[in-house]
Amino acid sequence: MTQILSSPILRLDQSWAYKVTVLADLLARRVTAIVQEASGLNLSQWRVLAAIGDQPGRTASEVVKITPMDKGIVSRGVTSLAQKELITRRASETDGRLSHLYLTETGEAIYQAIVEKLHRAGLIDVGLLTEGETESLLELLQQAIQASRERDEPRL
Amino acid sequence: MTQILSSPILRLDQSWAYKVTVLADLLARRVTAIVQEASGLNLSQWRVLAAIGDQPGRTASEVVKITPMDKGIVSRGVTSLAQKELITRRASETDGRLSHLYLTETGEAIYQAIVEKLHRAGLIDVGLLTEGETESLLELLQQAIQASRERDEPRL
DNA sequence: CACAAGCAGTTGTGATTGCAACTAATAAGT
DNA sequence: ACTTATTAGTTGCAATCACAACTGCTTGTG
C-alpha cells in the first residue's frame, strides 16, 4: 500500500536506517567490552588491528577506506599499536609517503584471541540467523553501503 | 561448506557485524550533516527530537530504551531542546520522577523539515532496495537486534 | 509508618572523536 | 625542469561521548 499522507512520516520502528543504527551501537558496545577485557585496546585500536590481521600489508589509508574511521583516528591507532608492539610499519620502497602494516607475533596472538572471543559471542558468524538469512543480510547490507557511498555527496 | 581451520577466521568483508558497523557510520555522517545544516542540532539532539516526534509524550527513559543513547546524553539533549523551545516537558501527575515530552510548534516544524530532507536523501525509505528486500532487511535487522539484546550480558 | 531497594533524571569528568590545518612525498601539466 | 594539484599521514583542538556518582521520588516489605 502506498503512502496516503502528503508529508513523509518517520516511523522509527519501520526505518531500516534507524534499525541499522541501533544494531550497530549494540554491537559496538559488546565488541568494545570484549576487546577491552581481552587486551585493554579500545574499539578503534581493535578495528585497526583487525583490518591489518584481515589483510596484512595494508597501509593506513587502505584501513581508512575499508573502515568507518577518520584518518586521524587510524593514525593514532597505528601509532599506539606500534608503541605497544602489536604491529610494525614497513616503509614502502616505491612510495615514500606510505608504510605497510603487519602484525607482530604478540599482535597476532592478541588478534587471534579476540577473534576467538568474538566468534564465541556470535559477533562474527551469526548463530542467530540461518545460513540463508545471513547470506541475504550480507547482500542487502552491501547494497545499502554501496548506495550510501555513492549518494554521499549529492549536495542536498 | 564448514570451517576447515581450527581457529575461527575474521573475514571482514564477510562479517555481518562489520558491515552493519560500516553502514551505520556512513548513515550517521550523512544524517548529521543534513540535520546540522537544516537546524543546527547535533545528532543526539536530533535523535531525541525524532523519538518524541515519532511518539509524543515519551519520557526521557523511554527515549533511552528505544534509542542507542546513554541516559546522560538523552538528558542533555532534552535540556538543550527545551532551552531552544523545540520541546516542552510536562511533569507526570502520577509519578513525580518523570516528565512527558512534546514537540512545540517550532519543534514540529523543524522535525517535519528534517524528516522531509532525510526522506529525499533516501535515509528513511529505501529507494535503493525493492519493497520486498526492504521488508526482509527490516526483519533480519530486528532479529539481530533482539538476539543481541538478549545476549547482552553473557559474561564472557 | 519506616526503611531498603529501585527507577528517573542530572551532572562531573576523563577519554574519544571529528574536523581541519599542516608537513612531506608523489603525480600531473606545461 | 618547474609549478600546481593530489595523496599519505600527523597533530591540535573543540565538541561529544561513556561511565559513574549523585539527588530525589516511588515502590515494596515488614
Side-chain angles (χ1 to χ4, degrees), chain A residues 11 16 18-19 66 126 142, chain B residues 16 18-19 66 126 142:
Chain A
R11 299 261 41 229
W16 66 280
Y18 170 74
K19 278 182 193 293
I66 62 150
V126 209
Q142 191 54 48
Chain B
W16 66 281
Y18 171 73
K19 277 181 194 292
I66 63 150
V126 208
Q142 191 53 49

Side-chain angles (χ1 to χ4, degrees), chain A residues 20-42:
Chain A
V20 166
T21 301
V22 171
L23 179 57
D25 192 80
L26 286 167
L27 294 174
R29 283 173 203 274
R30 293 178 58 203
V31 172
T32 300
I34 291 173
V35 169
Q36 172 63 237
E37 193 197 316
S39 66
L41 298 177
N42 67 25

Side-chain angles (χ1 to χ4, degrees), chain A residues 1 3 6-30 34 37 46-47 50-51 53-55 58 66-70 111-112 115-129 131 133-134 136-149 151-152 154 156, chain B residues 1 3 6-30 34 37 46-47 50-51 53-55 58 66-70 111-112 115-129 131 133-134 136-149 151-152 154 156:
Chain A
M1 300 307 110
Q3 185 72 31
S6 57
S7 64
I9 286 186
L10 176 57
R11 299 261 41 229
L12 288 181
D13 60 348
Q14 285 175 31
S15 160
W16 66 280
Y18 170 74
K19 278 182 193 293
V20 166
T21 301
V22 171
L23 179 57
D25 192 80
L26 286 167
L27 294 174
R29 283 173 203 274
R30 293 178 58 203
I34 291 173
E37 193 197 316
W46 160 247
R47 282 173 175 165
D54 180 58
Q55 194 176 302
R58 275 188 168 134
I66 62 150
T67 255
M69 283 188 287
D70 181 74
Y111 171 69
Q112 291 295 347
V115 169
E116 170 71 29
K117 287 192 189 218
L118 294 177
H119 187 80
R120 278 208 300 271
L123 291 165
I124 293 179
D125 292 348
V126 209
L128 5 138
L129 303 178
E131 209 168 306
E133 284 174 333
T134 301
S136 43
L137 178 57
L138 284 176
E139 233 166 83
L140 292 170
L141 288 172
Q142 191 54 48
Q143 277 180 48
I145 288 172
Q146 213 111 39
S148 194
R149 283 224 160 98
R151 280 224 197 188
D152 217 342
L156 298 163
Chain B
M1 298 297 117
Q3 185 71 32
S6 57
S7 62
I9 286 186
L10 176 58
R11 297 262 42 228
L12 288 181
D13 60 348
Q14 286 175 31
S15 160
W16 66 281
Y18 171 73
K19 277 181 194 292
V20 166
T21 301
V22 171
L23 179 56
D25 192 80
L26 286 167
L27 294 175
R29 283 173 204 275
R30 293 179 58 202
I34 291 172
E37 193 199 318
W46 159 247
R47 283 175 174 165
D54 180 59
Q55 193 176 301
R58 275 189 168 131
I66 63 150
T67 254
M69 284 188 287
D70 181 76
Y111 171 70
Q112 290 296 346
V115 169
E116 170 70 29
K117 287 192 188 216
L118 293 177
H119 187 79
R120 277 208 300 271
L123 291 165
I124 293 178
D125 292 347
V126 208
L128 5 139
L129 303 179
E131 209 169 306
E133 284 174 333
T134 301
S136 43
L137 178 57
L138 284 177
E139 233 166 83
L140 292 171
L141 288 173
Q142 191 53 49
Q143 278 181 48
I145 288 173
Q146 212 111 38
S148 194
R149 282 225 160 96
R151 281 224 197 188
D152 218 342
L156 298 164

Side-chain angles (χ1 to χ4, degrees), chain A residues 83-102:
Chain A
Q83 250 159 18
K84 291 174 198 290
E85 302 191 2
L86 303 185
I87 65 175
T88 57
R89 314 180 206 219
R90 193 168 308 158
S92 164
E93 290 170 0
T94 61
D95 187 333
R97 291 169 300 181
L98 44 83
S99 21
H100 297 278
L101 305 169
Y102 300 89

